[in-house]
Amino acid sequence: MTAVDSSSVAVELTRRLLGAGGEAIQADARRLPFTNSTFDVVTCLQTLNYVDDWRVVVAELVRVARPGARLVVTVLNYRSPLGASRALQARLGRDVRAPGEQARSSRALLAELRSAGIDIDMVTGDGHALAIPGLKTIGLGWLRRLPRADRIAFHVCMAGRVRSD
């Protein structure tokens, strides 16, 4: 297993957790330090909301994946109660997004992944919560029981295979 993060703190913590089971590298997701077609599985978890142009990162993920490799991407879902609360806060002049966080639609990301050569076979969501600044995050796990609950989940997960053509 190889983990990559731009944060030296995250890399150090990951190295401790991995031990001899893998390596952690500090690098920029826009310029991954690997040769083409290196990995059988590539994951990008909660990163694409924090880059200026996710097309560059998606192209890098595809570049380092072998043809037929599994690609898994997760992003924040701005159609969720969390996203709605953040949008409301922004309209009130109190932007509560993390520094550098970009509010983008998961539909646009899905189109970008397909355009980059990923055959998507799963789109799902998990995590249901409402974050109100100044208060604790309120768990809304009961939302899981609703039809199509994954569409309003905190995170969206997209998975597919890199085309081999």
Side-chain angles (χ1 to χ4, degrees), residues 4-155:
V4 175
D5 201 293
S6 62
S7 162
S8 60
V9 173
V11 168
E12 184 53 39
L13 289 170
T14 303
R15 283 181 180 146
R16 286 188 221 155
L17 289 170
L18 287 174
E23 66 177 323
I25 299 168
Q26 185 175 358
D28 187 327
R30 296 169 295 186
R31 293 178 299 282
L32 294 170
F34 308 109
T35 59
N36 295 353
S37 302
T38 299
F39 299 101
D40 294 318
V41 178
V42 176
T43 61
C44 183
L45 309 176
Q46 299 307 111
T47 300
L48 295 176
N49 292 108
Y50 300 95
V51 295
D52 292 334
D53 185 355
W54 63 17
R55 292 173 293 187
V56 174
V57 176
V58 168
E60 275 295 276
L61 299 174
V62 170
R63 181 187 68 76
V64 301
R66 290 187 177 120
R70 189 86 171 140
L71 179 72
V72 179
V73 174
T74 64
V75 292
L76 295 172
N77 181 7
Y78 288 92
R79 291 175 23 187
S80 70
L82 172 74
S85 68
R86 285 182 173 186
L88 176 61
Q89 292 293 321
R91 284 181 184 239
L92 295 173
R94 296 178 286 182
D95 195 347
V96 295
R97 291 179 296 172
E101 183 180 321
Q102 308 288 322
R104 298 186 176 117
S105 82
S106 52
R107 181 177 293 172
L109 174 58
L110 188 59
E112 180 58 38
L113 291 170
R114 287 181 172 135
S115 173
I118 309 299
D119 291 325
I120 301 294
D121 56 33
M122 184 195 76
V123 178
T124 189
D126 194 23
H128 295 82
L130 178 61
I132 302 172
L135 300 175
K136 289 181 80 173
T137 299
I138 301 167
L140 302 173
W142 57 269
L143 286 173
R144 285 189 188 98
R145 295 188 297 251
L146 298 176
R148 299 182 163 218
D150 62 330
R151 292 186 181 206
I152 59 168
F154 184 67
H155 299 103

